[in-house]
């Protein structure tokens, strides 16, 4: 990437925006090119600034931050999206994972972790990273699980599983596998059925427990 990573900040707290500006100003590789406090203002700011990364709060004064993140992901597949949160509960983390954001960071995280999340989002927008995700997956237990012997995953399904584990969205999986979006959705649906999962988090958790993937596979650890 040539030039600094450009960032738009969307956060309802003026002090948070000011703090991020101060943090980023000390890093010559990252530059804030826009900011706003409302979800309603974000699309226009992003359309004008064309940032590499958007950093937004999970709770905005006028909207659900993760709903905004989903809209941005659908509109800009290559946009890095970092979610900052005061609510580090497992359910919020899993919602972020399902939304397709690039990184999930607590507002209490060290400065280096916030900057690392921005850098990650800039170069791997379709890959999800969050400190403690593996632990959260372990805490979300399932009553019954299939066994590795009974799954009989096809090579394509194993490929889909690996891509899901790296945090790739379904459109990104379609591109990686050189198949149509509908075909990729079919593969994901079949994989979920075999794993007894209803979403990505369930699928990854089950696969981890069965030894089908490891946390070293991706940036989800």
């Amino acid at each position: 990437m040539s030039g600094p990573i450009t960032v738009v900040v969307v956060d309802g707290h003026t002090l948070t925006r000011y703090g991020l500006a101060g943090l980023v100003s000390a890093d010559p590789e990252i530059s804030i090119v826009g900011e706003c406090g409302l979800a309603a203002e974000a699309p226009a700011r992003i359309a004008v600034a064309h940032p590499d990364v958007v950093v937004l709060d999970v709770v905005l004064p006028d909207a659900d931050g993760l709903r905004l993140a989903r809209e941005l992901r659908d509109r800009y597949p290559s946009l890095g999206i970092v979610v900052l949160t005061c609510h580090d509960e497992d359910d919020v983390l899993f919602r972020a994972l399902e939304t397709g954001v690039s990184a999930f960071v607590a507002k209490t995280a060290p400065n280096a972790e916030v900057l690392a999340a921005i850098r990650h989002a800039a170069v791997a927008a379709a890959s999800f990273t969050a400190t403690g995700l593996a632990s959260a997956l372990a805490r979300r237990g399932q009553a019954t699980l299939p066994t590795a012997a009974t799954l009989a995953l096809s090579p394509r399904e194993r490929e889909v599983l690996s891509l899901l584990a790296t945090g790739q969205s379904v459109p990104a999986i379609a591109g990686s596998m050189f198949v149509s979006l509908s075909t990729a959705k079919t593969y994901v649906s079949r994989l979920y059925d075999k794993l007894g999962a209803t979403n990505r988090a369930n699928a990854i958790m089950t696969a981890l427990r069965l030894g089908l993937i490891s946390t070293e596979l991706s940036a989800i650890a």
Side-chain angles (χ1 to χ4, degrees):
M1 179 177 294
S2 60
I5 298 167
T6 55
V7 178
V8 166
V9 179
V10 184
D11 195 297
H13 297 90
T14 303
L15 285 177
T16 299
R17 299 199 304 273
Y18 180 81
L20 279 171
L23 174 63
V24 168
S25 67
D27 192 318
E29 297 180 351
I30 304 175
S31 174
I32 291 182
V33 294
E35 64 174 70
C36 60
L38 299 174
E41 300 171 343
R45 291 285 193 282
I46 293 166
V48 170
H50 300 290
D52 301 309
V53 178
V54 171
V55 178
L56 59 87
D57 194 352
V58 71
V59 178
L60 295 169
D62 62 336
D64 180 343
L66 290 179
R67 180 173 296 177
L68 172 61
R70 167 52 68 191
E71 293 172 358
L72 293 176
R73 171 58 66 234
D74 291 342
R75 186 177 304 179
Y76 304 106
S78 62
L79 176 66
I81 303 175
V82 177
V83 172
L84 293 179
T85 179
C86 291
H87 308 278
D88 58 355
E89 295 91 345
D90 289 353
D91 286 348
V92 180
L93 188 154
F94 290 133
R95 280 189 61 211
L97 172 63
E98 289 298 315
T99 297
V101 305
S102 312
F104 181 86
V105 186
K107 287 188 174 181
T108 55
N111 290 348
E113 186 175 329
V114 176
L115 294 174
I118 292 173
R119 290 192 175 89
H120 166 85
V123 299
S127 176
F128 180 79
T129 182
T131 300
L133 178 56
S135 298
L137 288 168
R139 287 191 291 271
R140 176 176 279 192
Q142 284 185 328
T144 58
L145 290 173
T147 65
T150 62
L151 286 177
L153 297 182
S154 70
R156 279 300 214 184
E157 289 165 348
R158 288 183 179 275
E159 184 178 0
V160 168
L161 178 59
S162 295
L163 293 172
L164 283 173
T166 63
Q168 291 199 30
S169 64
V170 177
I173 289 172
S176 297
M177 297 178 68
F178 302 102
V179 299
S180 68
L181 180 58
S182 62
T183 298
K185 288 180 178 179
T186 297
Y187 284 140
V188 171
S189 178
R190 289 176 181 172
L191 178 64
Y192 283 5
D193 286 343
K194 288 188 176 183
L195 292 173
T198 58
N199 55 45
R200 182 197 299 263
N202 291 154
I204 294 174
M205 180 188 67
T206 300
L208 283 169
R209 288 189 173 183
L210 294 175
L212 297 172
I213 58 173
S214 66
T215 53
E216 287 76 15
L217 239 183
S218 67
I220 67 169

